[in-house]
Amino acid sequence: MPEYKLIYFNAKGTAELIRWIFTHGGITFTDERIEMEDWPERKSEMPHGKVPVLMIDEEPLVQSLAIARFAAKEAGLVPEDNLEAAMCDALVDTVNEMMKELYDNVRKYDDDDEKQKYFEEIFFPNHLEPFLKNLNERLSEKEWFVTDQLTWADLMLARTMMQITEKHPDCLENFSDVAAHMERVCEVPSIKEWIENSPETAF
Amino acid sequence: GSKRKRLVSIYHAESNTVSRILVTMPEYKLMYFNTMGHGEIIRWIFAYGGIPYKDERLTREEFDKIKSSIKGGKLPILMVDDKQLPQSLAIARFVAKKARIVPEDDWESALIDALADSLHEMLFDLYKLRQTIPDYNEYVGKVRDEFFPKSIAPIAQALDERMKDRQWYTGDKLTWGDLIIGRAFAEMYNRQPEMLKKFTHLVSHMQKVCEMPAIKKWIETRPESPF
């Protein structure tokens, strides 16, 4: 059994999905968290100066979604069927692209009010709302996003919805099936336990 | 939809013969614009794998007409019979599996996923930059002075070092990782060779991929498009 060490900030960010996946798969991993004051020194140790990095024995793997997909395979959260696996990949990439849009734009504003305004006036109507509409339709007929079982796409979705609703609690108001899906994922025993026991962090 | 039977030619190298057999294959249709962009890697993989597909190129007007029928409203989309698969890398990985150029080993496969994500991000940001700077010469200047040192050079450097002692990106044969390298750097090298030429191992690997018969043929016969 290889030794897994996940290196990230002491935060949820783009590593939390990976932690959920390992936990759900019952896979032992070292959850190394770098405090912000130590980051300048540690940054140069990372292959591209970025985290998360997954050390597999002594070999590094970068890119949060490549790591998540790898972990998901080990955890049995990737469908056997190639097209179903591809549907998981597509959802994960769609969510990621949408969040990149959010991050890239929100960081242009210093003011919290301006960030909120960007979210409400631009991001929500143009990006998040259309996405949630499609998703809500799909999840009104299905318990899990791709197959009749939990996959890593469900975890990615729920994790992201949790992240967004922390800052914008009302955005799932009109999307009850998406909200129900998020709750369903959070009730999965391994995920529930992880959420309850994981440290409070700034992001 | 029900699977269709297609007549497929199989070339047997050992006996230099061709047999034709009826196989059950889904129908593949790639829907994208008449551009290379995020769709081109998929076309390379189809070409390398010798997998028949329809390479549908839509104009903006044609896309606007059908946009509401496309889930997620974005291209590329791969139609697999009547199912829609979005997202260029999800499609690429799916087709790469059909073409048998995804490693069996999960870790090797993940190394390619990481490469794909890094290069996709780089091209994505490059295209975004192009959109914000309509003047081509101004754009080239900005790339050369800012984008290249910050975003392209570190990746090119790491790849150059990796390819120094290797025949292939991972493992002992071609994978879709090699096709990604070819695709990501061929155009850049063609347009601005002086930017990349110091990365000699990367450039020669890119050229090796472009010289592979199926890829070379695709490059020579594909529709012209600027990006």
Side-chain angles (χ1 to χ4, degrees):
Chain A
M1 181 81 189
E3 267 191 36
Y4 299 120
K5 180 164 72 174
L6 180 65
I7 307 172
Y8 192 59
F9 304 116
N10 184 16
K12 296 191 278 288
T14 54
E16 194 69 358
L17 171 66
I18 302 164
R19 296 176 183 130
W20 281 21
I21 292 170
F22 274 135
T23 302
H24 183 71
I27 298 168
T28 305
F29 73 105
T30 302
D31 183 19
E32 185 173 313
R33 294 164 182 255
I34 302 174
E35 295 297 339
M36 289 319 262
E37 52 269 23
D38 300 325
W39 175 239
E41 198 189 303
R42 298 290 311 273
K43 188 177 155 95
S44 54
E45 291 167 25
M46 305 303 151
H48 297 285
K50 293 181 189 172
V51 284
V53 175
L54 180 69
M55 299 301 296
I56 302 165
D57 291 326
E58 295 303 302
E59 298 291 339
L61 179 64
V62 300
Q63 286 287 355
S64 64
L65 297 185
I67 298 170
R69 185 180 299 100
F70 172 83
K73 284 178 193 171
E74 308 313 297
L77 287 169
V78 176
E80 287 291 324
D81 178 77
N82 281 339
L83 187 55
E84 286 174 354
M87 295 289 186
C88 289
D89 290 341
L91 178 72
V92 168
D93 281 352
T94 297
V95 172
N96 191 57
E97 205 173 80
M98 191 179 69
M99 294 309 281
K100 181 177 153 79
E101 178 76 23
L102 181 63
Y103 297 142
D104 285 352
N105 284 291
V106 138
R107 73 153 74 107
K108 293 176 187 169
Y109 306 101
D110 292 321
D111 197 296
D112 274 352
D113 284 341
E114 286 182 312
K115 288 183 203 275
Q116 181 70 19
K117 188 170 172 200
Y118 165 75
F119 182 90
E120 282 171 11
E121 294 181 11
I122 301 177
F123 182 73
F124 185 81
N126 294 307
H127 299 281
L128 185 56
E129 190 175 27
F131 172 74
L132 289 175
K133 274 203 177 107
N134 282 331
L135 198 60
N136 205 67
E137 222 176 277
R138 188 181 176 91
L139 291 175
S140 68
E141 297 163 4
K142 289 173 77 71
E143 191 181 358
W144 306 114
F145 181 77
V146 177
T147 69
D148 53 8
Q149 292 183 325
L150 184 78
T151 65
W152 71 299
D154 296 294
L155 298 190
M156 172 70 166
L157 193 56
R159 178 61 210 124
T160 307
M161 292 303 119
M162 272 183 79
Q163 192 176 15
I164 295 177
T165 52
E166 258 163 47
K167 285 214 165 93
H168 312 278
D170 300 332
C171 69
L172 295 185
E173 220 165 47
N174 297 322
F175 305 103
S176 56
D177 294 299
V178 178
H181 174 274
M182 180 181 74
E183 277 152 38
R184 209 176 298 132
V185 169
C186 293
E187 282 298 310
V188 169
S190 55
I191 305 299
K192 184 172 181 164
E193 194 184 329
W194 176 266
I195 292 172
E196 282 171 3
N197 294 321
S198 58
E200 282 285 325
T201 56
F203 66 99
Chain B
S2 61
K3 293 206 174 195
R4 289 158 217 220
K5 291 214 185 288
R6 323 260 320 265
L7 201 56
V8 169
S9 297
I10 315 262
Y11 172 67
H12 306 280
E14 328 75 47
S15 55
N16 195 30
T17 55
V18 175
S19 56
R20 307 238 305 157
I21 63 172
L22 219 51
V23 296
T24 304
M25 273 175 62
E27 263 192 31
Y28 299 119
K29 179 169 78 170
L30 178 67
M31 297 171 66
Y32 194 47
F33 302 107
N34 184 25
T35 186
M36 290 183 285
H38 297 297
E40 189 66 6
I41 183 60
I42 301 163
R43 297 176 182 130
W44 282 40
I45 297 169
F46 270 124
Y48 185 82
I51 300 168
Y53 76 109
K54 182 156 187 231
D55 181 22
E56 189 172 287
R57 293 161 184 253
L58 288 84
T59 63
R60 273 283 153 190
E61 296 76 40
E62 286 165 342
F63 176 59
D64 288 339
K65 282 202 192 116
I66 59 145
K67 190 170 170 168
S68 57
S69 70
I70 302 288
K71 275 180 230 164
K74 290 186 185 170
L75 300 183
I77 290 273
L78 183 71
M79 296 299 301
V80 182
D81 290 327
D82 57 358
K83 297 199 180 99
Q84 288 184 9
L85 178 65
Q87 286 291 345
S88 61
L89 292 186
I91 298 168
R93 188 179 297 103
F94 173 77
V95 180
K97 283 180 194 169
K98 297 291 169 190
R100 300 174 199 262
I101 50 174
V102 175
E104 287 294 321
D105 179 73
D106 288 345
W107 180 68
E108 277 190 49
S109 191
L111 286 181
I112 300 173
D113 289 341
L115 175 72
D117 282 351
S118 296
L119 290 177
H120 179 85
E121 245 168 50
M122 185 188 84
L123 285 183
F124 188 94
D125 290 343
L126 191 63
Y127 295 149
K128 267 248 152 101
L129 187 67
R130 180 70 179 105
Q131 277 166 8
T132 62
I133 307 178
D135 181 76
Y136 183 70
N137 291 323
E138 196 189 324
Y139 160 74
V140 170
K142 189 108 195 209
V143 170
R144 193 187 50 231
D145 299 337
E146 286 176 36
F147 191 84
F148 177 81
K150 182 168 176 240
S151 306
I152 301 176
I155 298 178
Q157 176 74 32
L159 280 175
D160 193 56
E161 276 162 25
R162 186 175 175 92
M163 297 320 296
K164 187 164 142 198
D165 300 313
R166 283 173 194 274
Q167 290 285 326
W168 305 108
Y169 180 71
T170 184
D172 54 9
K173 56 187 175 173
L174 182 135
T175 63
W176 69 299
D178 301 293
L179 298 187
I180 289 166
I181 290 171
R183 160 58 194 133
F185 292 103
E187 300 318 306
M188 208 181 286
Y189 186 74
N190 286 341
R191 283 165 189 270
Q192 310 287 338
E194 70 286 352
M195 266 192 336
L196 289 179
K197 76 173 188 223
K198 68 177 172 183
F199 304 112
T200 55
H201 308 288
L202 171 61
V203 170
S204 71
H205 192 66
M206 177 271 290
Q207 288 171 334
K208 169 173 154 180
V209 170
C210 292
E211 281 299 307
M212 310 203 84
I215 300 297
K216 185 172 177 157
K217 183 172 174 201
W218 170 250
I219 292 173
E220 284 169 0
T221 59
R222 68 187 168 189
E224 286 274 330
S225 64
F227 270 99

